Amino acid sequence: QTGSASLGQEFAKREIPSEHNKTAQLVEGIKPTYVLTVGDNQYDNGTLAEFQTYYDKSWGKFKNITKPTPGNHEWYDNLNGYKAYFGSAIATPQGKPYYSYDVGDWHFVALDSDPLTDGVKDEQIAWLRQDLADNQKACVGGYWHHPRFNSGQYGDLKAIAPFWDELLKAKADVVFSGHDHHYERIKPLNSAGKVDEANGIRSAVVGIGGDSLYTQIKPREGVEKSFAKHGVMKLVLTGKSYSWEIIGTDGKVLDKAGPYTCR
């Protein structure tokens, strides 16, 4: 089994102690193989000084096993702080702020959704299409910052459709995102956002890692569970199946998902 904790992003710029210190303590208890992040790793502007002052003192202890993605707050600093803090081996392991890697029977794509929202996307989409075509693993997962489908205040985001649609063509299994500060688990959806258990992609919004929460949640089609509480995701990969738990800062399990079998 391979356990991975997924940071819910929106990492707060606050003095110790605060919620991001509590979520970091949860990750210590999980003892994951990897830590995955879904963007906005550090508020307010993702500068190197902010990373060193805040992130490094809590989640920084997991830096060597972190597989991060950037969010719009890292882009406020043009990714300079993000790249300087994590270093090229972690932030841009394949030369770009998007990359892929394999874990057991799984192929993961870690993407940069901010250029899509700004309309600059062709290069990354071409890379993603080729990367998925070259994949030899049975299971496919993706993660990035802006959700394609979302019940929070930002709602569904059509700009992210190119990511979603390429992963649909590749019969990907699951996608994780952040941006909205809440958690929700969503049934497999097709390109139009309709439930399609056989052909859609399962997803979750995991925006609960540190900053203040958003409570404006109006569940869209397919939502199985949603709430606004701080915590982390413990993702467990077991061969060609996967499951996860959301663990709250009080140590209680707030949600359980799966096990699901890869398509």
Side-chain angles (χ1 to χ4, degrees), residues 28-223:
E28 281 192 281
I30 292 171
K31 295 180 173 59
T33 304
Y34 297 110
V35 170
L36 317 183
T37 79
V38 287
D40 281 7
N41 305 271
Q42 178 60 62
Y43 267 28
D44 288 319
N45 300 304
T47 64
L48 178 59
E50 289 172 341
F51 269 104
Q52 292 172 334
T53 302
Y54 302 101
Y55 187 99
D56 194 58
K57 294 176 181 176
S58 55
W59 283 80
K61 67 188 70 175
F62 316 117
K63 184 162 70 169
N64 290 339
I65 60 169
T66 297
K67 302 286 190 180
T69 61
N72 53 294
H73 280 263
E74 277 83 29
W75 271 101
Y76 291 163
D77 188 43
N78 202 34
L79 298 190
N80 290 322
Y82 176 80
K83 292 178 178 178
Y85 177 72
F86 284 113
S88 59
I90 295 175
T92 56
Q94 296 169 4
K96 301 286 184 179
Y98 49 86
Y99 56 96
S100 63
Y101 58 96
D102 296 334
V103 181
D105 291 313
W106 282 78
H107 182 70
F108 282 98
V109 290
L111 305 178
D112 178 11
S113 62
D114 210 65
L116 270 71
T117 63
D118 290 339
V120 183
K121 59 189 178 184
D122 292 347
E123 179 183 338
Q124 186 174 187
I125 295 303
W127 172 89
L128 176 61
R129 186 178 299 119
Q130 187 61 54
D131 180 85
L132 293 171
D134 293 341
N135 170 50
Q136 299 296 312
K137 296 296 183 178
C139 308
V140 177
Y143 60 104
W144 58 80
H145 186 56
H146 300 84
R148 171 65 183 96
F149 300 110
N150 171 31
S151 299
Q153 67 173 346
Y154 294 119
D156 295 352
L157 192 57
K158 291 182 179 179
I160 305 301
F163 280 176
W164 192 269
D165 293 348
E166 290 299 330
L167 285 162
L168 270 176
K169 294 174 189 175
K171 299 186 184 300
D173 298 284
V174 66
V175 161
F176 302 109
S177 300
H179 197 47
D180 246 306
H181 301 195
H182 72 283
Y183 167 77
E184 64 180 297
R185 169 166 47 92
I186 309 175
K187 294 178 179 179
L189 302 179
N190 62 20
S191 61
K194 301 297 183 181
V195 174
D196 185 341
E197 296 278 2
N199 303 300
I201 302 174
R202 191 177 306 280
S203 64
V205 178
V206 195
I208 54 176
D211 198 41
S212 57
L213 299 167
Y214 299 166
T215 57
Q216 305 96 316
I217 305 171
K218 296 181 180 179
R220 67 170 325 282
E221 178 178 343
V223 172

